[in-house]
């Protein structure tokens, strides 16, 4: 029996191989092979597509690679795209018009006899078809538009309810568009100013399946042509843009189904419009609300999440979100990490390097430092923000811009650059959060061996206040105003730290007496000298009774003949020192004069 089974199995294998050989030897043209593949694709049932997403993605990739060069191949491709999006399709008798349909919209694609595009029309439920020329110059873009249209109507309820939700979205789009135009007319703003300061940012109208988009923040690195805004880098990680849509919710909200802006005259110089009151005639209760959908996940601190919820009266999250250290989220976002996967080895050490012209920096992001109640600064990724009235959008954008500015500054330290820790001249910096809108950058004084600190307070997306803290005996580095101007221009911590050090080196080179001044101030601080009646600084010079409180020889000798060269030095550097330091230098000119006399005597 075993031998008989083996013989039967061998015979079946032989027959199968003979069939394969016969098929291989039979000549078949490419056209016939293509036809067989197309027929196999036609047999795929719609009900099976959900379980074969990987296969569908592979088919779509192959279709993008195939060249469409005739009318039949174009219509086949359009029908295939419709099937992939669970849509119906049919051809006109002339086969030059392809109709892609659903319950809520349909698309007309008009072709010539060579299969080239003539025009595309989109009609939503109850509307006339609108020409969308160029909607499918690239077929894969056309496929994206169809997916967008399908997603637009993924709403709860029947067709009548979906139509009301679409009318609400359409009314919102009209109001937001009018708000942008009123701002630009009132302020004469260019593109960049509209993005950074506009009430709704820079609005791009809905086209086909692409929703209305609002761009509300760009960092200085995003702008290619400063001032003109002719070219912008929309893909930069620090660029913030979002789509405007309507989605179903578990709660019922009153949404407008007609535009709410009355008139075309703003109420102030910023282009703020006036809105009509919410009534039963212009609003309806719907199990949905509007959403600003972030084009990429954006880290927000917990306090900013609460601010957005307080602005709209709708919680950003339906359930309490899982919180993480905000700096971890910013790092992951900057490194293009997605989701909540474990941090890569690079971020676990929180050490990052920046290679700048003439300088090498190492940054330690101390995101675990306690801020409030012994806890570190906490936050979460936000993907979408709910709201229900167009007047709420400007306030939401201000909060988003504020967080984006903070994220940009912290993210400027996060680089994939690697520098050896034993590199000569490597400068060390520590960035530590203070509040949800401020942080400190600590580093060694460029002149003295002491620690100095710059505190940066992000007031809003347009203002960053900086304050330099140093010891009383430390040499002058630069002014707070200088740091503020650099930060607001570049929004980069490494660039600002480089500018501070270069400024300090310049001052040190120009004023060789700084180290002497530092020693003098250190003596004064140590002795804690009280002020006297003289015009000297903190008791320097003779007292009211002619005494010498510091015990320095020659101070009360009555000699006031400071050399002309000494006064020239004082006048040369008077513009970079304050009045107190001027008096200190004046005092030391007496000392230099005494030393000169002693040397000449010897």
């Amino acid at each position: 029996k075993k031998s008989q089974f083996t013989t039967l199995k061998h015979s079946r294998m032989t027959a199968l191989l003979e069939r394969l050989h016969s098929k291989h030897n039979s000549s078949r043209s490419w056209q016939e092979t293509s036809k067989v593949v197309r027929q196999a694709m036609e047999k795929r049932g719609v009900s099976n597509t959900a379980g074969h997403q990987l296969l569908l993605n592979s088919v779509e990739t192959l279709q993008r690679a195939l060249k469409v060069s005739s009318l039949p191949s174009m219509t086949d491709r359009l029908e295939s795209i419709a099937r992939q999006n669970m849509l119906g399709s049919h051809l006109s008798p002339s086969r030059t018009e392809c109709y892609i349909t659903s319950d809520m919209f349909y698309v007309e694609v008009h072709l010539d006899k060579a299969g080239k595009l003539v025009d595309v029309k989109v009609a939503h439920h109850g509307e006339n078809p609108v020409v969308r020329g160029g909607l499918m110059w690239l077929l894969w873009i056309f496929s994206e538009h169809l997916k967008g249209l399908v997603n637009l109507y993924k709403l709860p309820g029947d067709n009548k309810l979906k139509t009301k939700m679409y009318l609400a979205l359409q009314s919102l789009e009209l109001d937001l568009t009018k708000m942008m135009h009123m701002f630009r007319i009132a302020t004469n703003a260019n593109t960049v100013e509209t993005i950074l300061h506009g009430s709704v940012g820079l609005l791009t109208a809905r086209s086909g399946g692409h929703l209305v988009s609002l761009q509300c923040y760009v960092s200085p690195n995003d702008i290619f042509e400063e001032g003109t805004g002719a070219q912008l880098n929309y893909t930069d990680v620090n660029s913030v843009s979002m789509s405007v849509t309507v989605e179903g919710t578990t709660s019922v909200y009153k949404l407008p189904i007609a535009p709410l802006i009355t008139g075309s005259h703003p109420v102030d110089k910023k282009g703020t419009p006036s809105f009509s009151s919410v009534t039963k005639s212009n609003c309806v209760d719907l199990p949905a609300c509007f959403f600003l959908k972030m084009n990429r996940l954006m880290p927000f601190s917990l306090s900013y999440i609460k601010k957005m919820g307080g602005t709209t009266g709708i919680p950003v999250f339906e359930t309490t979100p899982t919180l993480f250290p905000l700096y971890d989220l910013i790092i992951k976002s900057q490194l293009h990490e997605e989701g909540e996967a474990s941090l890569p080895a690079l971020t676990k050490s929180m050490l990052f390097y920046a290679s700048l012209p003439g300088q090498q920096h190492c940054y330690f992001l101390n995101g675990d430092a306690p801020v409030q109640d012994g806890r570190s600064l906490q936050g979460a990724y936000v993907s979408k923000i709910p709201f229900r009235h167009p007047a709420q959008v400007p306030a939401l954008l201000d909060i988003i811009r504020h967080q984006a500015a903070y994220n940009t500054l912290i993210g400027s330290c996060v680089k994939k650059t690697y520098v050896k820790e034993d590199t000569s001249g490597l400068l060390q910096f520590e960035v530590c959060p203070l509040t949800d809108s401020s942080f400190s950058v600590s580093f060694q004084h460029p002149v003295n061996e002491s620690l100095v600190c710059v505190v940066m307070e992000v007031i809003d997306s347009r203002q960053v206040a900086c304050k330099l803290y140093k010891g009383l005996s430390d040499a002058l580095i630069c002014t707070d105003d200088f740091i503020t101007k650099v930060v607001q221009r570049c929004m980069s911590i490494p660039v600002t730290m480089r500018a501070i050090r270069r400024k300090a080196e310049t001052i040190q080179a120009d004023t060789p007496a700084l180290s002497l001044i530092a020693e003098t101030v250190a003596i004064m601080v140590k002795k804690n000298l009280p002020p006297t009646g003289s015009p000297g600084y903190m008791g320097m010079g003779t007292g009211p009774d002619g005494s010498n409180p510091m015990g320095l020889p020659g101070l009360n000798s009555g000699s006031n003949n400071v050399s002309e060269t000494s006064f020239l030095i004082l006048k040369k550097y008077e513009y970079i020192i304050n009045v107190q330091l001027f008096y200190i230098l004046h005092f030391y000119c007496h000392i230099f004069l005494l030393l000169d006399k002693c040397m000449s005597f010897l």
Side-chain angles (χ1 to χ4, degrees):
K1 291 182 179 180
K2 185 176 181 180
S3 61
Q4 290 178 354
F5 176 77
T6 304
T7 304
L8 180 61
K9 184 178 179 180
H10 184 267
S11 62
R12 287 180 178 178
M13 182 67 69
T14 303
L16 179 59
L17 289 173
E18 289 178 354
R19 289 176 59 190
L20 289 174
H21 283 300
S22 62
K23 284 183 175 293
H24 174 72
N25 294 330
S26 62
S27 59
R28 175 176 290 174
S29 64
W30 169 253
Q31 288 78 9
E32 292 179 354
T33 302
S34 177
K35 183 178 179 180
V36 171
V37 173
R38 188 176 292 110
Q39 289 175 349
M41 292 171 60
E42 293 286 347
K43 293 179 181 179
R44 291 185 297 115
V46 174
S47 59
N48 295 329
T49 58
H52 299 82
Q53 189 61 44
L54 181 60
L55 176 60
L56 293 176
N57 293 339
S58 300
V59 170
E60 187 175 353
T61 303
L62 290 172
Q63 287 178 340
R64 291 182 185 179
L66 294 176
K67 184 179 180 180
V68 176
S69 57
S70 64
L71 181 60
S73 60
M74 175 62 83
T75 55
D76 286 347
R77 180 70 63 83
L78 292 174
E79 290 177 333
S80 176
I81 291 174
R83 286 194 301 272
Q84 291 171 11
N85 289 280
M86 313 273 297
L87 299 173
S89 64
H90 62 273
L91 299 174
S92 65
S94 64
R95 304 186 69 84
T96 57
E97 288 88 27
C98 180
Y99 298 90
I100 300 175
T101 61
S102 75
D103 292 339
M104 300 304 299
F105 70 91
Y106 71 89
V107 179
E108 297 181 20
V109 182
H110 296 262
L111 308 169
D112 61 16
K113 293 184 178 181
K116 294 183 179 180
L117 172 71
V118 175
D119 62 33
V120 178
K121 296 181 180 180
V122 178
H124 292 274
H125 186 73
E127 295 182 353
N128 295 324
V130 178
V131 176
R132 301 292 183 185
L135 195 64
M136 53 162 294
W137 288 113
L138 296 174
L139 284 172
W140 66 272
I141 293 179
F142 177 71
S143 179
E144 286 186 357
H145 278 283
L146 282 183
K147 290 178 181 178
L149 290 170
V150 171
N151 292 333
L152 179 62
Y153 287 102
K154 284 185 177 179
L155 299 168
D158 54 15
N159 290 351
K160 184 178 180 180
L161 193 60
K162 290 181 180 180
T163 300
K164 290 182 179 179
M165 294 180 186
Y166 175 75
L167 289 175
L169 177 62
Q170 196 175 48
S171 301
L172 173 67
E173 293 171 349
L174 292 173
D175 281 337
L176 294 179
T177 302
K178 197 168 186 178
M179 291 169 69
M180 183 190 72
H181 289 314
M182 292 176 71
F183 170 82
R184 301 194 77 166
I185 293 173
T187 61
N188 196 28
N190 59 26
T191 303
V192 175
E193 292 169 343
T194 302
I195 293 173
L196 296 177
H197 313 310
S199 55
V200 297
L202 182 65
L203 183 146
T204 303
R206 177 159 51 92
S207 176
H210 290 174
L211 300 171
V212 165
S213 67
L214 306 178
Q215 188 173 17
C216 67
Y217 183 80
V218 286
S219 69
N221 291 331
D222 300 324
I223 304 171
F224 291 161
E225 295 183 8
E226 183 178 1
T228 64
Q231 295 179 345
L232 296 176
N233 181 6
Y234 293 97
T235 62
D236 190 272
V237 69
N238 295 317
S239 175
V240 180
S241 58
M242 62 210 75
S243 302
V244 181
T245 187
V246 61
E247 292 184 359
T249 57
T250 55
S251 301
V252 176
Y253 298 99
K254 191 176 292 294
L255 300 183
I257 56 173
L260 298 179
I261 295 180
T262 58
S264 58
H265 298 288
V267 297
D268 55 25
K269 295 182 179 179
K270 296 181 180 180
T272 304
S274 59
F275 295 92
S276 58
S277 302
V278 174
T279 63
K280 293 182 179 180
S281 61
N282 59 19
C283 294
V284 295
D285 293 329
L286 295 171
C289 67
F290 303 126
F291 283 92
L292 296 177
K293 298 190 70 172
M294 313 298 293
N295 286 5
R296 64 169 62 89
L297 293 176
M298 180 173 169
F300 279 84
S301 68
L302 180 59
S303 62
Y304 280 59
I305 293 173
K306 292 179 178 179
K307 284 181 183 179
M308 291 189 291
T311 299
T312 62
I314 305 173
V316 175
F317 297 97
E318 292 185 350
T319 59
T320 304
T322 303
L323 299 178
F324 297 91
L326 180 64
Y327 277 36
D328 287 357
L329 301 179
I330 295 175
I331 291 171
K332 290 173 65 178
S333 178
Q334 191 72 21
L335 295 177
H336 302 278
E337 293 289 329
E338 298 181 356
E340 299 177 359
S342 59
L343 290 172
L346 180 64
T347 65
K348 287 183 178 180
S349 64
M350 307 299 281
L351 286 177
F352 299 93
Y353 300 90
S355 182
L356 301 166
Q359 295 182 16
Q360 305 290 331
H361 294 184
C362 176
Y363 289 90
F364 170 59
L365 301 187
N366 190 7
D368 293 331
V371 176
Q372 293 177 346
D373 301 328
R375 298 185 61 187
S376 62
L377 193 60
Q378 299 290 298
Y381 281 124
V382 173
S383 61
K384 58 183 181 180
I385 304 164
F387 66 102
R388 50 187 167 183
H389 195 284
Q392 296 172 345
V393 173
L396 287 176
L397 293 194
D398 284 343
I399 298 173
I400 294 171
R401 288 172 175 141
H402 199 168
Q403 184 69 66
Y406 188 92
N407 294 355
T408 298
L409 284 170
I410 301 302
S412 66
C413 301
V414 181
K415 307 293 182 183
K416 295 181 180 179
T417 308
Y418 177 74
V419 178
K420 292 183 178 180
E421 293 186 5
D422 58 352
T423 301
S424 176
L426 181 64
L427 304 176
Q428 306 282 346
F429 300 87
E430 180 185 8
V431 181
C432 184
L434 301 176
T435 67
D436 56 7
S437 62
S438 65
F439 57 90
S440 65
V441 183
S442 304
F443 54 97
Q444 183 176 338
H445 193 288
V447 179
N448 309 104
E449 293 183 358
S450 60
L451 189 67
V452 294
C453 172
V454 174
V455 173
M456 298 186 184
E457 172 74 28
V458 183
I459 300 173
D460 55 37
S461 63
R462 300 176 291 276
Q463 299 182 76
V464 181
C466 300
K467 178 69 176 177
L468 175 67
Y469 292 91
K470 63 181 184 66
L472 293 176
S473 62
D474 290 337
L476 179 66
I477 300 179
C478 59
T479 64
D480 297 339
D481 185 60
F482 171 81
I483 304 174
T484 299
K485 287 181 179 179
V486 174
V487 170
Q488 292 186 159
R489 184 172 180 82
C490 67
M491 291 301 289
S492 170
I493 294 176
V495 173
T496 303
M497 293 300 107
R498 178 178 181 271
I500 291 174
R501 191 168 187 86
R502 285 177 60 85
K503 188 72 172 179
E505 291 171 353
T506 302
I507 296 176
Q508 183 185 15
D510 288 345
T511 54
L514 279 178
S515 59
L516 188 58
I517 297 171
E519 294 175 4
T520 304
V521 177
I523 294 174
M524 296 188 302
V525 173
K526 184 177 181 180
K527 293 191 175 184
N528 194 20
L529 299 175
T532 67
S534 69
Y537 177 67
M538 288 185 66
M540 295 190 64
T542 58
D545 57 351
S547 62
N548 184 351
M550 286 198 69
L552 297 176
L555 185 61
N556 51 2
S557 62
S559 175
N560 293 321
N561 298 322
V562 181
S563 67
E564 181 180 358
T565 304
S566 299
F567 272 117
L568 289 176
I569 293 174
L570 291 175
K571 291 295 182 182
K572 179 178 179 182
Y573 299 111
E574 185 176 355
Y575 72 99
I576 61 171
I577 56 179
N578 55 31
V579 177
Q580 292 88 342
L581 291 179
F582 181 87
Y583 280 120
I584 295 174
L585 286 176
H586 189 278
F587 165 73
Y588 268 94
C589 285
H590 287 279
I591 303 298
F592 295 152
L593 182 60
L594 291 174
L595 291 175
D596 288 340
K597 289 182 179 179
C598 292
M599 292 298 294
S600 60
F601 176 77
L602 293 175

